[in-house]
Amino acid sequence: MSTLLITGANRGIGLEFAKQFHSKGWKVFGTSRSLSNAKKLMDIISNENVLVLDVSQQDQLKAVKDQLYKRNIILNCLINNAGIMTDRVGIEKVSQDDMVQAFRVNSAGPVMLVHNLLPIFDNGCKIVNISSLKGSINDNTSGGYYSYRMSKAALNMAVRSMSMDLQKKNIAVYALHPGWVRTRMGSAIAPVSKKRSVNGMIDVIDQLSISDTGKFYNFKGEELPW
Ligand SMILES: NC(=O)c1ccc[n+]([C@@H]2O[C@H](COP(=O)([O-])OP(=O)(O)OC[C@H]3O[C@@H](n4cnc5c(N)ncnc54)[C@H](OP(=O)(O)O)[C@@H]3O)[C@@H](O)[C@H]2O)c1
C-alpha cells in the first residue's frame, strides 16, 4: 500500500486530496492546525492519522516527523498543500507583516517540512508543492497580490533547488497549479470544482516521473512558465 502525507488537509483542496487518495486505496496521513477543525478529515481517515501541524512552527514540523518515524512510516508522496493568501492589494496598501507571514507559510513551511522528513522519504517518492500561477513571473500581467505572488514565486525557486538536491536519492519534486478552484481561498465564483482540480492533479502526479523533476504544471498536465 502506498502512503502519503497532505498538509492543510482539513478543508479545501487538501481535504479533497485526502478523499480521492483514500478512495484509491492509499494510506493517507493529513495535517490540520487544530483537531477540532478536522472533523471532516476524521470522517475519511482514522483519527490517529490526523496530525496537528502549523507549517510555520518549527517544533510542530519536527513533531510530525517524530510521530511518523516512531510508527515506521515511509512516505511515497508528500503534498505540500497548506497555504494562505494574506493580501490581494496593490502597492498603495502593501504590508510587511503580510509578506513575512506569507513567506513563513507558503515558502519556508514546505521547505522545512521536506527538510524534517528527509529520513522517511522512500526511494521514488514524489514531493508535490501546491503553488499557483500567481507565482509565475512570466504570467504576471495584472500586478498586485504582493505577499501571495512573492511567496509562491519563492516556493517555485525552492522546487528547483530541492529537485536538484534530491534527484540523487531518486526523489522527484514538482510545483502544481490547481487552477482557480472554489474553496475559501478561491471563492464561490471560481470556475473549477475541487473534485475536478484534484482529480486532474492526481492524474498528473501519476504520470510524472523523475525525468520531470523540477518542473511546474497545472491540473491539466500542461507545463507552466516560471
Ligand atoms: N483555490 C484556488 O483557486 C487556488 C489557486 C492556486 C493555488 N491554490 C493553493 O492551493 C492550496 C490550497 O488552497 P485552498 O484553495 O484549498 O485554500 P483554503 O480553502 O483556504 O485552505 C487552506 C488550507 O491551508 C491550511 N493552512 C493555512 N495556514 C496554515 C498554516 N500556517 N499551517 C498549516 N496549515 C495552514 C488551512 O488550515 P485552517 O483551516 O487551519 O486555516 C486549510 O486547511 C494553497 O497552497 C493555495 O495557495 C489555491
Side-chain angles (χ1 to χ4, degrees), residues 7-17 31-34 37-38 52-57 60-61 80-85 88 101 104-106 109-110 129-135 148 151-152 155 176-187 190-192 194 197 201:
T7 63
N10 58 302
R11 63 184 168 93
I13 290 169
L15 181 66
E16 185 66 28
F17 265 124
T31 77
S32 175
R33 283 196 284 187
S34 89
N37 283 339
V52 172
L53 177 64
D54 179 328
V55 297
S56 66
Q57 300 300 315
Q60 293 185 20
L61 290 163
N80 271 319
N81 165 77
I84 50 169
M85 187 181 275
R88 296 166 198 249
Q101 183 57 10
R104 282 186 190 283
V105 176
N106 294 348
N129 298 275
I130 305 302
S131 181
S132 171
L133 193 56
K134 284 209 157 38
Y148 191 68
S151 63
K152 291 293 190 181
L155 174 63
L176 286 191
H177 168 58
W180 182 17
V181 185
R182 286 191 294 281
T183 63
R184 205 178 291 175
M185 183 186 292
S187 87
V192 182
K194 291 185 282 263
S197 167
M201 287 193 283

Side-chain angles (χ1 to χ4, degrees), residues 56-74:
S56 66
Q57 300 300 315
Q58 302 306 300
D59 54 335
Q60 293 185 20
L61 290 163
K62 182 174 178 307
V64 163
K65 177 253 167 179
D66 289 344
Q67 289 167 65
L68 294 171
Y69 189 80
K70 268 189 209 141
R71 289 164 66 180
N72 294 319
I73 301 300
I74 295 293

Side-chain angles (χ1 to χ4, degrees), residues 92-112:
E92 299 81 7
K93 293 196 171 165
V94 285
S95 122
Q96 186 188 49
D97 285 349
D98 282 347
M99 287 186 250
V100 171
Q101 183 57 10
F103 189 87
R104 282 186 190 283
V105 176
N106 294 348
S107 328
V111 176
M112 293 313 296

Side-chain angles (χ1 to χ4, degrees), residues 28-216:
V28 176
F29 289 85
T31 77
S32 175
R33 283 196 284 187
S34 89
L35 292 181
S36 57
N37 283 339
K39 301 236 167 357
K40 286 185 183 161
L41 181 59
M42 288 172 180
D43 287 343
I44 301 166
I45 62 176
S46 69
N47 294 10
E48 62 179 11
N49 291 357
V50 178
L51 309 174
V52 172
L53 177 64
D54 179 328
V55 297
S56 66
Q57 300 300 315
Q58 302 306 300
D59 54 335
Q60 293 185 20
L61 290 163
K62 182 174 178 307
V64 163
K65 177 253 167 179
D66 289 344
Q67 289 167 65
L68 294 171
Y69 189 80
K70 268 189 209 141
R71 289 164 66 180
N72 294 319
I73 301 300
I74 295 293
L75 294 175
N76 305 103
C77 184
L78 164 68
I79 302 197
N80 271 319
N81 165 77
I84 50 169
M85 187 181 275
T86 45
D87 78 52
R88 296 166 198 249
V89 299
I91 190 68
E92 299 81 7
K93 293 196 171 165
V94 285
S95 122
Q96 186 188 49
D97 285 349
D98 282 347
M99 287 186 250
V100 171
Q101 183 57 10
F103 189 87
R104 282 186 190 283
V105 176
N106 294 348
S107 328
V111 176
M112 293 313 296
L113 183 58
V114 169
H115 166 77
N116 275 278
L117 296 178
L118 285 174
I120 64 163
F121 289 132
D122 202 5
N123 185 333
C125 182
K126 293 179 177 178
I127 299 175
V128 176
N129 298 275
I130 305 302
S131 181
S132 171
L133 193 56
K134 284 209 157 38
S136 165
I137 292 173
N138 244 43
D139 186 75
N140 186 356
T141 52
S142 54
Y145 292 84
Y146 283 83
S147 64
Y148 191 68
R149 284 191 190 280
M150 291 162 65
S151 63
K152 291 293 190 181
L155 174 63
N156 288 351
M157 179 58 86
V159 165
R160 283 301 278 261
S161 277
M162 291 191 289
S163 72
M164 287 170 205
D165 290 351
L166 296 175
Q167 196 162 17
K168 55 186 175 295
K169 293 187 173 179
N170 197 32
I171 295 171
V173 187
Y174 313 107
L176 286 191
H177 168 58
W180 182 17
V181 185
R182 286 191 294 281
T183 63
R184 205 178 291 175
M185 183 186 292
S187 87
I189 62 161
V192 182
S193 70
K194 291 185 282 263
K195 194 171 173 188
R196 181 165 159 240
S197 167
V198 169
N199 192 271
M201 287 193 283
I202 291 178
D203 281 349
V204 174
I205 295 165
D206 266 354
Q207 283 159 24
L208 294 176
S209 73
I210 190 73
S211 61
D212 307 303
T213 192
K215 294 185 180 168
F216 186 18

